[in-house]
Amino acid sequence: YNIVMRSWARKGHLQHISRLFSMLESVGLRPNLDSYAAALECMGRNQSSTIAIRRCVQQLKNDGFHVDELFQKCLFEEDEKEKVLRAIRIVQPNYQLPPPPVRQTCKSSLLQDFYSKKKMVSYPKLDFSVQELQECFQQQLEMELDNTVTIESVESAKPLTPQAIKARKLLATLRSRWHDSILQALQKSKHSMSKLKMESGYNILYPYLCLLPDEEYVGIMLQILNTLSPQGESLAVLARELGSKVYNRYVTQRKLRSRQLEKVQEVYEDYIHLLAKDSQPDEYLPREYWEKLVAEAGFGPSLNLKDCSWPYMLLMRLGMHMLELLVQAVKVPRNVLNPRLEPKLIPVLYHVYSFRSSWQVGLIKPHPIFSQIVSDAAETLLTFNSSAIPMLCPPVPWTSPHFGAFILNDTKLMRFVDGAIQHQLLLDQCPLVNLHPVLDALNQLGNCAWKINQPVLDIIISIFNDKGNEKLDIPPPISEAPRPPATPGNYSTWNKSQKHEFLLYKKKTAEMHSLRMDALYKLSIANYVRDKVFWFPHNMDFRGRTYPCPPYFNHLGNDVTRAILLFAEGRPLGPKGLDWLKIHLINLTGLKKKNALQERLEYANEIMEEILDSADHPLTGRKWWMNTDEPWQALACCMEIAKASRSPDPAAYISHFPVHQDGSCNGLQHYAALGRDLIGAMSVNLMPCNVPQDVYSVVAQQVEEFRKKDAEQGVKIAQVLQGFVSRKVVKQTVMTVVYGVTRYGGRLQIEKRLKEIDEFPEEYLWEASHYLVKQVFNGIKEMFSATRDIQNWLTESAKLIAQSGQTVEWVTPLGLPIVQPYYRSKSTVVSIWRGSRRGVTEDTLERSPPRKPDTVKQKNAFPPNFIHSLDSTHMMLTALHCLRRGLTFVSVHDCYWTHALTVDFMNQICRQQFVALHSEKILQDLSKFMLEKYCSPGRETRALWQKKLMEQLSNVPKTGEFKLKKVIDSTYFFS
């Protein structure tokens, strides 16, 4: 109703709006503020009579609203706000707009110092002038206005063969034909739809096929065609992608049409004064400064557009229709590669079914002729959505769950599965002031400026273009794939063994293609920004874990990706910076994990000759760096150490290199702190010690003790396992116990590790892994008694909540509301193609709307999700306090990055915030929140399940004797 009203209000159709008001009343609906805003806007445009406006204002008040709320709660586009104000002033000439809301300050006890005006400091400056940042903004804006970015592939340096030239000409001719045939099919389809009755399910698509120029739809479809892999892609994935591309372009157009972009430009031009080195605004956080500038901008459109998101099923139906057009319209002559065949036109794409587990999944596969032409053409241009490229200017600060990150691209604050709405509802219901810490932390992570480590990138690209190197995690091209098995006859005549061998070949080829394309995308994007400074805007998942928004190339990537990233800001190494670079290098090798920091430093000094040789002759020297756990990051660090140590004054050397500090079995650290578990705290380095404690080795040692006893008592499998119980065998299971791994999952993990040991007898794999997982769980139970109690309490509480038909919710210590999105669901079958020769083809698109919570998933996921949310809270606290001290800080979950100069400082802040976080009554607060949410009715009306849940939630696990303050002096809080 409101969308239609706003449309009519803009055209001045007051009679239509009056009729809609009557319709609302006739079906028992009350007009809301947006309805009244539309009516008053229309009256303001028409300069309606005083009587009509007064009647409307009076009705607004009768419905419990206040005139001020129109300007405080409604979102406006173009000049809507001015027109509403004009109407109000016809009946209230002296009416003044309500003042901006009083700026609220977060009251969290964890952030009193952070938000205290007494301790406020100027926001850290970037090494850019106002003029330079304005130019960066224009570059980013142009990229987002285009919606897509076409860049050179790193394979472009290869010489062009005559075969490639011929294939490219052929592709260009075919694409020109396909463009025309797709355009014709689209226009024919729209013409047919325009004549359909409203009741038709497909008629709903017609308005969405009229939002953009026809050429844009064709471009979107051709883009999908150009990126389809030879192995094909899931029908549902492609449909979602096509629907989303149309939606994103619509949003861009809407922001232009509503003049929202003009306002963003105006505010951003002032905002960059907070960041530029040649400007001195007052002491504000990015979010606060942006809010201040928006309030001062006054009239014009709201920066939060009225919700225009499209339902998941609409996106899918739209995408499916576009796929149908592609399948129907895109054809290729059968004889295009073999002139001896008849010149019959055949489809380029076809629809097949595959089985994944018990699900039948539709796939769209390209014809081998098309795949061959694309392969021969070896094209060197790649096209990405603009949101897939790092930002070329500082991100727009998050100021609400609906606004932040990119300039135009629609970005959600919280990532969640398609069709889920409960997360967004929770965020919308949460008072905005409660979300300030989370928004400020995301802004801080996103405001870190980056640049490319060009020498390392060049070496990686040279290996990538020279057949790759699997040992160095650079995937080889498909040309290096093993040859298919030479089997006579066709597939139907092969025996079971031959078919299995052929399927393994196809699987290996598909994996190689996927890995190669992933590396190609990452390296090509890195090469595209090689001379630029760039930024990664951040958002989060439903647990509060943070992620960079650009999906391919970012610091969460693998060893190769991380090695080519540097901080754009450089800082001198200072007195201890070079030592930290050396320690960081040894950490990257995977050696000396059990040794003290001083011993790691001494080892680095001992092998200085190898470090310098690696830096000077990475591909022709002794190649020491290649035999480390993280070879590319190790090489980058070798190069940095070489430059620093050879500089006249290493302490004054300006380093851009990020030094990482990895959490020491992070999940168990949180459990040990929650339960004040003394033995557990010692095992995970929460207490001062001379050498780092290795919980994995301790558990392995304990399991070995259990094994010895059993072997002495004649237990056969314990005897077989002699010499095979090691840290490596138990590590993954110990690490994931804290994240809710079951005994079944743990057994599979251990079986996999035992399989890697050539000497271990294969016939004992099942029995040995079954025995070991039992002993690992027993060992952890002995060492971390409080941990198991807390885990059991969380699991049992979640089970009772889910059994009552509700999902598990909680609020983090920083005020972020969380709900677990696990439901029992049934498949929904949706008709896709119409009028195919075989009748209507159907496919599983999505699962039906959620009904009841999935009890098993709710209970099993609660402990790990709860710990992840605490881990995220700790990271955000560290990020915010590092900001106040002027440190550069980014994180990869529990791995924290900063300059070598500030590692000690960051370590201190991190430990302080861990103590501050766990000094809160976390479990007691969780119990209180859940009792209020799930057991609130009066005692006499409580159901049996509520009484049982009350008893469970009230019985908070007891804690041990560990003193949290000891964490402050812990040397090995990071491994």
Side-chain angles (χ1 to χ4, degrees):
Y1 279 109
N2 287 332
I3 291 169
V4 173
M5 280 192 200
R6 282 293 171 90
S7 171
W8 284 341
R10 208 167 290 128
K11 296 169 185 172
H13 294 167
L14 189 54
Q15 287 179 326
H16 294 346
I17 291 175
S18 300
R19 203 173 301 131
L20 262 183
F21 263 75
S22 300
M23 285 176 65
L24 280 172
E25 290 172 8
S26 67
V27 294
L29 292 175
R30 193 185 72 165
N32 61 15
L33 274 173
D34 278 322
S35 308
Y36 284 111
L40 288 165
E41 177 204 337
C42 192
M43 292 175 177
R45 285 191 194 283
N46 293 345
Q47 297 195 35
S48 298
S49 70
T50 307
I51 296 171
I53 297 172
R54 184 168 286 122
R55 191 184 305 130
C56 184
V57 171
Q58 188 57 49
Q59 190 178 339
L60 176 144
K61 291 177 179 175
N62 292 344
D63 278 336
F65 300 118
H66 192 280
V67 171
D68 284 356
E69 290 181 278
L70 290 167
F71 304 101
Q72 291 166 334
K73 296 181 179 178
C74 290
L75 301 175
F76 296 103
E77 297 182 13
E78 300 181 37
D79 60 350
E80 294 171 355
K81 188 174 182 180
E82 291 92 321
K83 300 307 179 192
V84 173
L85 183 61
R86 177 194 281 180
I88 298 294
R89 284 183 174 163
I90 288 173
V91 294
Q92 298 179 27
N94 298 322
Y95 178 80
Q96 295 298 316
L97 285 174
V102 177
R103 201 167 78 190
Q104 292 180 288
T105 303
C106 175
K107 302 294 185 209
S108 169
S109 57
L110 291 166
L111 291 166
Q112 283 175 347
D113 284 355
F114 178 78
Y115 287 111
S116 166
K117 296 301 167 192
K118 294 175 186 174
K119 301 195 175 182
M120 197 69 100
V121 293
S122 293
Y123 194 76
K125 297 291 182 182
L126 295 171
D127 192 23
F128 288 94
S129 66
V130 169
Q131 178 66 34
E132 287 168 332
L133 284 176
Q134 283 173 346
E135 288 167 7
C136 290
F137 174 81
Q138 286 304 321
Q139 288 178 39
Q140 178 66 25
L141 178 58
E142 286 167 21
M143 186 165 74
E144 290 191 42
L145 282 170
D146 288 339
N147 277 114
T148 58
V149 184
T150 300
I151 65 177
E152 281 281 352
S153 151
V154 292
E155 291 182 322
S156 60
K158 291 180 179 179
L160 204 57
T161 63
Q163 183 187 27
I165 295 169
K166 184 180 176 183
R168 287 184 189 182
K169 283 182 181 175
L170 175 58
L171 258 185
T173 305
L174 289 171
R175 280 176 183 151
S176 176
R177 286 184 204 158
W178 293 338
H179 173 278
D180 295 343
S181 57
I182 295 170
L183 181 61
Q184 194 176 350
L186 174 67
Q187 290 169 343
K188 184 180 175 184
S189 162
K190 285 170 65 176
H191 181 70
S192 301
M193 281 185 187
S194 67
K195 296 183 176 180
L196 290 173
K197 292 180 182 177
M198 284 297 289
E199 291 78 37
S200 166
Y202 260 76
N203 197 40
I204 195 172
L205 292 183
Y206 179 67
Y208 295 91
L209 289 169
C210 298
L211 291 171
L212 307 174
D214 289 348
E215 289 285 345
E216 291 216 34
Y217 292 98
V218 175
I220 288 169
M221 288 186 261
L222 283 172
Q223 189 185 337
I224 286 286
L225 183 65
N226 293 339
T227 57
L228 195 61
S229 80
Q231 287 74 37
E233 182 57 89
S234 155
L235 201 61
V237 168
L238 285 176
R240 179 78 172 85
E241 193 176 343
L242 279 163
S244 297
K245 283 179 184 291
V246 174
Y247 170 73
N248 289 336
R249 295 200 185 192
Y250 159 69
V251 168
T252 299
Q253 284 201 359
R254 189 168 174 215
K255 289 181 177 179
L256 288 169
R257 194 175 59 245
S258 70
R259 290 181 26 223
Q260 193 222 38
L261 177 58
E262 288 177 33
K263 192 162 182 179
V264 169
Q265 281 183 283
E266 176 191 330
V267 174
Y268 196 95
E269 281 181 13
D270 288 331
Y271 167 70
I272 53 182
H273 287 79
L274 179 75
L275 310 174
K277 63 184 178 183
D278 57 346
S279 180
Q280 290 296 327
D282 294 330
E283 293 153 357
Y284 289 95
L285 292 168
R287 172 188 54 78
E288 293 171 340
Y289 198 53
W290 187 276
E291 288 169 347
K292 171 182 176 288
L293 294 170
V294 169
E296 289 170 356
F299 285 108
S302 307
L303 290 188
N304 287 0
L305 279 183
K306 290 184 287 291
D307 183 44
C308 60
S309 56
W310 296 353
Y312 173 64
M313 280 309 296
L314 172 63
L315 290 171
M316 294 299 288
R317 283 189 180 278
L318 181 60
M320 285 293 178
H321 182 69
M322 292 169 75
L323 273 177
E324 179 185 354
L325 294 178
L326 272 173
V327 170
Q328 288 175 355
V330 179
K331 297 187 177 179
V332 63
R334 191 171 168 225
N335 67 340
V336 72
L337 295 180
N338 185 352
R340 286 176 294 181
L341 297 172
E342 60 176 306
K344 179 184 174 185
L345 286 175
I346 56 172
V348 166
L349 303 176
Y350 54 102
H351 179 207
V352 298
Y353 285 105
S354 178
F355 283 90
R356 291 183 187 167
S357 184
S358 60
W359 289 95
Q360 182 172 282
V361 178
L363 297 177
I364 291 290
K365 293 194 78 171
H367 194 284
I369 289 175
F370 172 69
S371 298
Q372 186 62 54
I373 298 170
V374 170
S375 174
D376 291 346
E379 291 182 303
T380 59
L381 291 178
L382 299 171
T383 300
F384 297 97
N385 287 343
S386 56
S387 57
I389 306 293
M391 285 189 75
L392 305 179
C393 69
V396 174
W398 285 106
T399 54
S400 79
H402 299 276
F403 186 82
F406 294 98
I407 300 167
L408 283 171
N409 290 320
D410 211 31
T411 312
K412 292 193 185 308
L413 175 70
M414 188 174 277
R415 304 170 174 209
F416 37 80
V417 294
D418 286 322
I421 58 168
Q422 62 271 41
H423 304 288
Q424 196 63 51
L425 289 173
L426 267 186
L427 289 174
D428 289 342
Q429 290 161 8
C430 181
L432 194 53
V433 67
N434 292 2
L435 295 176
H436 283 172
V438 172
L439 300 177
D440 291 335
L442 288 170
N443 292 335
Q444 179 56 14
L445 297 172
N447 271 349
C448 176
W450 299 86
K451 69 175 186 175
I452 294 295
N453 189 334
Q454 294 187 16
V456 176
L457 175 63
D458 290 337
I459 295 169
I460 292 170
I461 291 174
S462 70
I463 294 175
F464 180 85
N465 282 334
D466 184 29
K467 299 184 179 179
N469 185 318
E470 289 195 69
K471 183 190 170 190
L472 295 175
D473 202 19
I474 300 179
I478 294 294
S479 59
E480 299 302 300
R483 297 292 102 196
T487 311
N490 59 34
Y491 189 82
S492 59
T493 63
W494 295 350
N495 61 34
K496 191 175 179 181
S497 170
Q498 289 169 328
K499 287 179 178 177
H500 180 68
E501 193 180 348
F502 183 72
L503 287 173
L504 285 178
Y505 154 75
K506 286 188 74 175
K507 184 183 175 190
K508 177 67 176 173
T509 306
E511 285 172 356
M512 285 182 68
H513 180 270
S514 177
L515 291 170
R516 180 75 175 180
M517 293 308 292
D518 180 62
L520 177 69
Y521 290 170
K522 286 174 177 171
L523 294 177
S524 299
I525 292 171
N527 199 47
Y528 174 69
V529 295
R530 66 183 295 134
D531 299 314
K532 300 176 171 73
V533 172
F534 51 90
W535 287 261
F536 297 122
H538 280 60
N539 62 1
M540 60 188 170
D541 67 14
F542 75 92
R543 301 163 300 187
R545 297 198 106 190
T546 59
Y547 300 86
C549 297
Y552 301 113
F553 173 66
N554 58 57
H555 60 288
L556 257 71
N558 60 3
D559 174 49
V560 174
T561 315
R562 295 184 189 188
I564 52 185
L565 281 168
L566 295 171
F567 291 137
E569 180 192 7
R571 296 214 173 173
L573 284 178
K576 292 180 69 177
L578 183 55
D579 288 351
W580 270 117
L581 284 174
K582 292 175 180 177
I583 292 167
H584 176 54
L585 173 63
I586 303 307
N587 290 344
L588 290 167
T589 65
L591 305 167
K592 309 292 178 185
K593 285 181 179 176
K594 300 177 189 176
N595 295 63
L597 291 175
Q598 185 57 37
E599 290 170 349
R600 297 181 211 182
L601 177 59
E602 288 166 3
Y603 178 68
N605 288 326
E606 286 170 19
I607 60 165
M608 200 64 187
E609 196 177 319
E610 297 288 358
I611 294 170
L612 295 175
D613 176 72
S614 293
D616 297 339
H617 312 288
L619 300 180
T620 56
R622 295 190 292 275
K623 304 175 189 175
W624 169 84
W625 64 276
M626 289 189 183
N627 298 311
T628 60
D629 279 4
E630 309 280 359
W632 289 108
Q633 290 176 81
L635 174 62
C637 198
C638 287
M639 291 177 167
E640 188 73 359
I641 290 169
K643 284 187 277 188
S645 59
R646 287 165 174 165
S647 67
D649 179 9
Y653 172 79
I654 303 297
S655 175
H656 296 260
F657 200 84
V659 175
H660 313 171
Q661 298 285 277
D662 259 328
S664 179
C665 201
N666 200 253
L668 281 172
Q669 285 183 329
H670 283 292
Y671 268 124
L674 282 172
R676 304 295 194 271
D677 191 329
L678 188 60
I679 296 172
M682 288 175 64
S683 306
V684 289
N685 296 300
L686 293 184
M687 294 179 71
C689 50
N690 295 325
V691 292
Q693 302 300 301
D694 181 36
V695 66
Y696 310 116
S697 297
V698 175
V699 173
Q701 199 175 338
Q702 203 161 18
V703 170
E704 176 63 11
E705 293 297 321
F706 295 153
R707 187 205 65 77
K708 277 183 185 173
K709 284 181 187 174
D710 288 343
E712 287 166 8
Q713 291 172 13
V715 177
K716 173 71 175 170
I717 194 62
Q719 293 168 346
V720 170
L721 277 163
Q722 183 173 350
F724 293 111
V725 178
S726 66
R727 179 186 190 272
K728 188 176 181 182
V729 168
V730 304
K731 179 183 176 182
Q732 189 182 10
T733 307
V734 174
M735 190 190 301
T736 51
V737 158
V738 67
Y739 296 125
V741 76
T742 59
R743 293 204 177 206
Y744 174 76
R747 190 198 71 73
L748 291 177
Q749 290 169 344
I750 289 172
E751 181 181 70
K752 193 174 180 182
R753 297 288 82 82
L754 290 173
K755 267 184 184 174
E756 292 167 359
I757 304 172
D758 295 334
E759 300 80 28
F760 190 80
E762 197 173 330
E763 65 272 20
Y764 288 105
L765 276 174
W766 189 92
E767 195 180 351
S769 57
H770 190 269
Y771 172 83
L772 283 180
V773 77
K774 181 182 171 187
Q775 303 308 335
V776 168
F777 272 68
N778 288 340
I780 291 172
K781 195 171 182 179
E782 276 193 25
M783 284 176 63
F784 296 90
S785 55
T787 293
R788 298 303 294 180
D789 289 345
I790 294 168
Q791 212 168 25
N792 292 338
W793 180 72
L794 293 170
T795 303
E796 187 62 24
S797 300
K799 184 176 91 173
L800 291 171
I801 291 167
Q803 283 175 346
S804 75
Q806 299 176 83
T807 51
V808 178
E809 290 183 29
W810 70 99
V811 177
T812 71
L814 275 189
L816 179 68
I818 295 177
V819 55
Q820 293 195 142
Y822 312 120
Y823 294 92
R824 279 189 259 162
S825 48
K826 294 179 182 177
S827 63
T828 299
V829 176
V830 178
S831 167
I832 297 167
W833 313 131
R834 297 171 79 78
S836 75
R837 279 183 230 167
R838 299 182 186 177
V840 176
T841 309
E842 295 184 329
D843 210 346
T844 300
L845 282 189
E846 66 155 13
R847 305 189 178 182
S848 60
R851 293 177 182 173
K852 292 183 179 177
D854 185 320
T855 304
V856 174
K857 284 186 178 177
Q858 288 284 344
K859 78 179 180 70
N860 288 344
F862 184 35
N865 284 340
F866 182 70
I867 293 300
H868 277 311
S869 73
L870 287 184
D871 196 27
S872 160
T873 299
H874 175 229
M875 184 280 294
M876 289 181 177
L877 284 169
T878 305
L880 292 173
H881 285 275
C882 282
L883 156 64
R884 279 284 175 254
R885 311 288 176 84
L887 276 68
T888 298
F889 174 91
V890 290
S891 82
V892 179
H893 303 317
D894 62 342
C895 177
Y896 297 171
W897 299 19
T898 192
H899 287 93
L901 172 71
T902 51
V903 171
D904 287 312
F905 210 171
M906 184 192 72
N907 277 339
Q908 181 190 353
I909 292 169
C910 181
R911 291 193 296 269
Q912 287 169 349
Q913 294 314 308
F914 187 87
V915 171
L917 171 62
H918 283 284
S919 297
E920 299 285 297
K921 296 176 179 176
I922 294 173
L923 294 180
Q924 288 82 353
D925 289 346
L926 177 65
S927 168
K928 183 180 174 185
F929 171 83
M930 288 185 157
L931 282 167
E932 286 177 7
K933 178 162 186 64
Y934 301 108
C935 308
S936 55
R939 184 171 297 277
E940 66 284 353
T941 60
R942 281 198 183 105
L944 181 62
W945 69 265
Q946 280 182 313
K947 291 175 183 173
K948 197 173 177 183
L949 180 57
M950 270 190 72
E951 187 180 338
Q952 167 65 22
L953 291 173
S954 302
N955 191 21
V956 179
K958 293 184 172 65
T959 54
E961 302 298 317
F962 173 59
K963 304 296 181 192
L964 264 180
K965 287 188 177 175
K966 290 187 177 291
V967 174
I968 297 291
D969 301 317
S970 163
T971 317
Y972 297 100
F973 184 82
F974 291 108
S975 58

